[in-house]
Amino acid sequence: GTIEAERADLELDENCVHMLPRLADARYWKQESIGEVTFAAADGRPIVEFFAADGVAYESLHPVSPLVALTAQ
């Protein structure tokens, strides 16, 4: 699938990209109606997909490894 509607620009800390180089392609993020969050490339290709975990955190569903966590600040 691709992400085209209702997306927002994504700004990642350079340390995140250093730890997981595939994030260098991520340009947008989108929260789905069921709560998942997706980081996508400029062409809409999903880079990382997250699901709601305990508390305010999200954990990566794809890719499975390495596990990536997303937290609210």
Side-chain angles (χ1 to χ4, degrees), residues 1-66:
T2 62
I3 296 176
E4 295 174 2
E6 301 181 32
R7 65 185 187 188
D9 290 339
L10 177 65
E11 294 181 26
L12 295 172
D13 185 279
E14 64 184 48
N15 292 321
C16 294
V17 176
H18 179 71
M19 292 174 55
L20 187 62
R22 78 175 67 207
L23 290 175
D25 291 335
R27 297 291 179 264
Y28 306 103
W29 71 274
K30 178 181 178 182
Q31 185 168 10
E32 304 291 340
S33 60
I34 55 176
E36 283 110 2
V37 173
T38 302
F39 289 1
D43 63 4
R45 186 174 33 89
I47 303 296
V48 182
E49 296 171 284
F50 298 92
F51 66 95
D54 295 333
V56 296
Y58 285 78
E59 294 180 352
S60 57
L61 178 63
H62 178 277
V64 174
S65 181

